[in-house]
Amino acid sequence: MNNQKPPYHELESKMEEAEKLIHALRTQQVDAIVGERHIMLVRLKQAEENLKSSRNQLRALASYLLSARENERAVIARELHDEFGQGLTSLQLGLSWISRKLTPGPRALQDKIKSLSATTTNLMRSVKNIASELRPGVLDELGLVKTLKSEAREFEGHTGIRCRFKTNTEKAKFDRSAAVAIFRIVQAALTNVARHAHASRARIALMKRKNGLTLTVTDNGKGISRKLVYGHDSLGITGMRERALALGGTFTLGGSGSKGTILTVQIPLSRVIIGPASSRSRNTPQF
């Protein structure tokens, strides 16, 4: 048997070749890993930018749809007032004229005229209420602050839930679209209080701060779960949130059984209040 060992220089040469091979393999693996990570980071950044762009587009679409819906509501409200309202008024006057001409007349006919007159009166009241819901004309007549005061009184009268309104914006002039959005948010919030909160008290506050306008609607009810706040089926909450975001603001909603529910909307003053130093046109509709 040949017990001779390989020469030292041959072993050293093979070890060097092996080390070079291992180094090459390691370098290729590292380059491959670094390259893959770089590609993944680039793709992730692109995905984030695409997602941000999609969200901005959805926000713009939601804002457009809200504006279009308010415009459509205004058109329908005018049609109800002008066509149905005037038509029902004419019908009521006609029934009154017939009643006077038939006096005295058959009792059955008089009763029928009175019944039709009462039905017409109820229809006129319903048309007025529907038109008011579609387009709160009181906003045009009284402005946002007085409208919210009136809304608080009506809410208390209809539900029995004590409702108070507080503000420091009595002298402020509000952008028309912003005023409608704020009114709709309050309207939806009070609807949720009446339907779900089981509260005995509610409070609306519209306060002008240095950093913006803050709207809060609070109650002492059972609170609201996070699931309901962010649920896909909570269309009323989604609508309130989109109205706030469309004005460049923020929307938060939360609470618990011990503290009730609190809704907070914060909006930049430049998007809501029209002041002497505003860069908006003098012809901008305002309340």
Side-chain angles (χ1 to χ4, degrees):
M1 178 180 292
N2 187 4
N3 293 326
Q4 287 185 339
K5 295 181 179 180
Y8 177 77
H9 69 277
E10 291 183 7
L11 289 173
E12 187 178 38
S13 177
K14 290 181 178 180
M15 288 179 64
E16 288 178 357
E17 291 178 0
E19 287 177 356
K20 289 179 180 179
L21 179 60
I22 291 172
H23 177 73
L25 290 173
R26 285 178 176 173
T27 303
Q28 290 177 1
Q29 289 177 348
V30 170
D31 289 344
I33 292 172
V34 171
E36 289 178 0
R37 290 187 64 182
H38 177 71
I39 292 172
M40 290 177 64
L41 288 173
V42 171
R43 289 178 177 174
L44 180 60
K45 187 176 181 180
Q46 289 176 344
E48 290 176 347
E49 291 177 352
N50 291 337
L51 180 59
K52 184 178 179 180
S53 177
S54 297
R55 285 176 175 171
N56 290 337
Q57 290 177 359
L58 286 174
R59 288 275 179 264
L61 176 61
S63 178
Y64 170 78
L65 291 176
L66 287 172
S67 177
R69 185 168 65 178
E70 286 297 336
N71 291 336
E72 188 65 24
R73 281 177 166 180
V75 171
I76 296 173
R78 283 195 297 269
E79 290 294 328
L80 283 173
H81 179 271
D82 295 343
E83 299 296 330
F84 287 90
Q86 292 178 9
L88 289 170
T89 300
S90 297
L91 178 60
Q92 182 72 289
L93 292 173
L95 289 171
S96 297
W97 183 84
I98 294 173
S99 178
R100 290 194 303 270
K101 291 297 182 180
L102 289 176
T103 302
R107 181 64 181 270
L109 185 56
Q110 288 289 346
D111 290 342
K112 188 64 175 179
I113 292 174
K114 288 181 180 180
S115 176
L116 290 173
S117 180
T119 300
T120 304
T121 300
N122 290 333
L123 285 173
M124 291 171 66
R125 188 179 297 113
S126 296
V127 168
K128 182 179 179 181
N129 291 336
I130 293 171
S132 179
E133 285 293 320
L134 288 170
R135 178 65 178 178
V138 69
L139 270 175
D140 300 315
E141 299 170 7
L142 302 179
L144 178 61
V145 171
K146 291 183 179 179
T147 298
L148 292 180
K149 287 181 181 178
S150 176
E151 187 71 14
R153 288 194 299 267
E154 290 184 10
F155 175 80
E156 183 172 327
H158 291 158
T159 65
I161 300 172
R162 182 182 177 185
C163 187
R164 294 294 178 265
F165 174 67
K166 178 182 178 182
T167 188
N168 64 352
T169 63
E170 289 89 348
K171 297 181 180 181
K173 295 180 180 179
F174 290 90
D175 174 82
R176 183 174 184 174
S177 59
V180 172
I182 292 170
F183 174 76
R184 293 299 187 194
I185 291 172
V186 171
Q187 202 175 38
L190 292 179
T191 298
N192 285 344
V193 172
R195 290 180 179 175
H196 310 296
H198 301 289
S200 60
R201 297 192 308 275
R203 182 173 178 270
I204 307 165
L206 186 68
M207 307 300 293
K208 181 181 177 182
R209 311 291 188 189
K210 289 183 178 180
N211 58 341
L213 186 76
T214 301
L215 168 70
T216 57
V217 181
T218 59
D219 65 66
N220 66 339
K222 66 178 184 178
I224 188 169
S225 67
R226 186 177 179 85
K227 181 180 179 181
L228 285 176
V229 173
Y230 296 99
H232 296 296
D233 296 332
S234 304
L235 298 180
I237 295 174
T238 300
M240 289 188 285
R241 182 184 294 111
E242 290 302 325
R243 288 184 187 278
L245 294 176
L247 292 174
T250 61
F251 175 92
T252 57
L253 179 65
S256 63
S258 60
K259 296 181 180 179
T261 301
I262 177 168
L263 176 152
T264 304
V265 175
Q266 292 182 319
I267 307 169
L269 290 178
S270 60
R271 299 292 298 272
V272 184
I273 294 179
I274 303 172
S278 174
S279 60
R280 294 175 184 267
S281 169
R282 293 179 179 269
N283 295 323
T284 302
Q286 54 190 250
F287 290 132

